Amino acid sequence: MKPKKHTVPYDFLIKLVSLGKGVVFHSIEENFSGNVDHFETPYPSALLCNHVSEADVVSLSMVYRRLNPKIKMIIPAREDMLKSGFLQKEFRAKGIIKWIFQFIDAIKIIPFLLRYIGAVPIKRPFRDNARELIKSGELRDKVDSEWTELVANIKRGRNLFMFPEGTYSHDGFLNQIKRGAYYIKSKIDNLHFNSFTLTYDHLSYQKTKLYIKYGKPFQIDTHQTADQVIRLVGDKLGKNYTVTLGNLTSYVLLKFGKETKIKKQQLVDLLLKLKKQIESTFPEITVASELRKESFHTQLESIFEKLKQFKLIDWEEETVHTKEILYHIPKSIHNLKKSNIVMYHRNQLTAHLTHLEEVWNGIFTNQGVPNEST
């Protein structure tokens, strides 16, 4: 097996995809594990990532420039993304954007670009035409053939970008990890693994800020069971979520547990105490630059404005008043970002919660939350 090295046209097309970052993201912050500025990807490698939204396509194009060495990729993709008419069907845009999307769909440039970069169509349960395949008994054979094609592409010289969840996250954290990494390892014995985790802060700026935390290479032993591999992959991805101003503020607001009034400066002081204790006690946890700089008043006001629009808080002058609805768990978490964006962001910290609880209890043992009222 010889790796397919990157080419100028290949890099150029991925560069075109990366130009979408200005439309999708406010900014992008990258953090590496150790004293490196690249992402180790020896051939053959499977590069595992959490799956957040359609914006992940742009995120992957940003990760590509950090690969070392740069090798052409194979990327499992939703089947409908590689069909005509995807943009307008997915986003249902109106006005001039609708006409732009229809033009792009008409010339079929999206499927061409994605296939050239290395995207291959994958069936999703109860989506695409999977229902018909289930009824006809053909789904298992179809899925097996798709995985066989992925393995064949790796053996032809490509590394693999892979979303182990198989679908978008619904509640801000990881969905159930599927058996894909275990399956791929069983077919390619000398396969290397690495991971990176995407954390999206939808609260602190007008547009989403993306944080990418790159992991370290790891191995999956041949004797490990599928369940052990699933736990290992979940651990690698979960622990690399970044602590951002958006999710740490969400954590604090939900810790109150009931309607609470707190001064803005008190909340700032509380966030700084938490941040400093996290950094000193658990340095393995990645903290966003806004929190490290300790100058985030403008971003905090953006958070308050957005939460006020969602009717989760009231904000008058220098006082924040949380509302009862903030603490209600929605009946469905299918789109938690829409139904309770605070819970969505707090859930990004799921793998860190044990450590955060330790820090919180250390700060407020026998003290309570300062000046809270209901």
Side-chain angles (χ1 to χ4, degrees):
M1 299 187 295
K2 293 184 178 180
K4 288 184 177 292
K5 296 182 179 180
H6 65 113
T7 61
V8 172
Y10 188 84
D11 288 356
F12 175 73
L13 289 178
I14 292 182
K15 180 68 174 179
L16 285 180
V17 177
S18 72
L19 294 178
K21 67 179 185 292
V23 176
V24 178
F25 300 119
H26 169 275
S27 56
I28 299 172
E29 181 174 315
E30 298 172 280
N31 290 287
F32 296 87
S33 298
N35 298 319
V36 298
D37 60 357
H38 61 266
F39 188 42
E40 295 183 44
T41 57
Y43 175 78
S45 283
L47 311 179
L48 313 181
C49 176
N50 60 317
H51 204 2
V52 185
S53 71
E54 295 92 344
D56 294 348
V57 174
V58 179
S59 302
L60 294 184
S61 71
M62 303 307 298
V63 171
Y64 175 77
R65 62 201 177 112
R66 298 296 190 181
L67 302 185
N68 184 27
K70 277 191 175 66
I71 295 169
K72 288 185 177 181
M73 304 301 302
I74 189 72
I75 308 167
R78 291 167 47 180
E79 185 182 53
D80 57 338
M81 291 181 68
L82 299 173
K83 293 183 176 180
S84 60
F86 167 74
L87 286 179
Q88 189 54 30
K89 289 178 183 177
E90 181 72 14
F91 298 103
R92 299 177 183 178
K94 298 179 180 180
I96 191 171
I97 300 298
K98 174 182 178 179
W99 295 107
I100 293 173
F101 281 1
Q102 287 181 339
F103 172 75
I104 296 173
D105 284 337
I107 62 176
K108 300 181 180 180
I109 188 64
I110 298 285
F112 170 78
L113 290 176
L114 290 177
R115 287 185 183 278
Y116 182 82
I117 289 170
V120 294
I122 296 294
K123 297 287 183 189
R124 297 167 298 162
F126 307 107
R127 298 290 295 272
D128 307 319
N129 63 336
R131 290 180 184 273
E132 289 76 12
L133 292 172
I134 291 173
K135 290 179 180 179
S136 66
E138 299 176 44
L139 182 61
R140 181 176 295 277
D141 290 340
K142 179 63 178 176
V143 171
D144 286 344
S145 70
E146 290 172 346
W147 281 104
T148 300
E149 180 64 16
L150 290 178
V151 171
N153 272 282
I154 296 173
K155 291 182 177 180
R156 293 186 194 117
R158 292 178 180 256
N159 279 341
L160 172 69
F161 267 135
M162 181 178 176
F163 297 111
E165 300 161 273
T167 186
Y168 298 146
S169 169
H170 298 306
D171 70 350
F173 192 58
L174 299 173
N175 284 318
Q176 181 180 0
I177 303 297
K178 304 299 192 299
R179 298 162 62 100
Y182 174 80
Y183 178 86
I184 291 289
K185 174 63 177 179
S186 71
K187 300 298 182 182
I188 303 176
D189 186 58
N190 63 333
L191 189 64
H192 304 275
F193 288 87
N194 208 335
S195 68
F196 58 99
T197 300
L198 309 174
T199 307
Y200 290 6
D201 184 348
H202 303 285
L203 288 174
S204 300
Y205 299 90
Q206 289 302 308
K207 288 195 292 187
T208 301
K209 180 168 180 178
L210 166 64
Y211 300 83
I212 306 174
K213 176 57 186 288
Y214 296 98
K216 295 180 180 179
F218 65 96
Q219 294 294 322
I220 293 177
D221 296 330
T222 53
H223 68 270
Q224 288 181 286
T225 66
D227 288 341
Q228 288 174 327
V229 172
I230 287 170
R231 287 193 294 271
L232 174 63
V233 171
D235 187 63
K236 294 290 183 181
L237 294 174
K239 289 185 177 179
N240 274 340
Y241 274 82
T242 300
V243 176
T244 70
L245 180 60
N247 57 39
L248 191 60
T249 301
S250 298
Y251 170 80
V252 170
L253 293 177
L254 288 171
K255 282 296 293 183
F256 296 152
K258 56 185 178 180
E259 288 188 85
T260 300
K261 289 183 179 179
I262 184 169
K263 294 292 185 181
K264 175 185 171 183
Q265 188 56 50
Q266 292 174 325
L267 187 54
V268 170
D269 293 341
L270 178 52
L271 289 168
L272 288 174
K273 284 182 180 179
L274 284 168
K275 186 271 301 188
K276 290 177 180 177
Q277 286 298 314
I278 291 169
E279 287 182 320
S280 63
T281 311
F282 304 107
E284 69 275 13
I285 296 178
T286 303
V287 175
S289 60
E290 292 83 2
L291 288 166
R292 295 197 302 269
K293 293 176 182 175
E294 302 184 7
S295 56
F296 47 75
H297 290 71
T298 301
Q299 287 75 45
L300 199 58
E301 290 181 5
S302 175
I303 292 175
F304 295 157
E305 288 290 355
K306 289 185 177 181
L307 297 187
K308 190 172 182 179
Q309 291 173 10
F310 280 103
K311 304 185 185 303
L312 297 174
I313 69 166
D314 278 328
W315 177 31
E316 298 178 0
E317 296 182 352
E318 295 299 310
T319 301
V320 177
H321 180 191
T322 63
K323 291 187 174 183
E324 183 182 357
I325 191 174
L326 174 68
Y327 306 101
H328 289 177
I329 300 175
K331 292 181 179 179
S332 171
I333 63 169
H334 181 70
N335 192 354
L336 190 60
K337 187 174 70 174
K338 182 177 181 180
S339 57
N340 192 323
I341 197 168
V342 173
M343 288 187 179
Y344 176 90
H345 281 78
R346 189 276 309 274
N347 286 349
Q348 292 176 344
L349 303 175
T350 299
H352 302 317
L353 285 179
T354 300
H355 293 335
L356 289 176
E357 291 295 303
E358 182 178 332
V359 170
W360 178 272
N361 293 334
I363 292 175
F364 294 111
T365 299
N366 301 320
Q367 295 182 27
V369 178
N371 296 326
E372 85 173 58
S373 60
T374 59

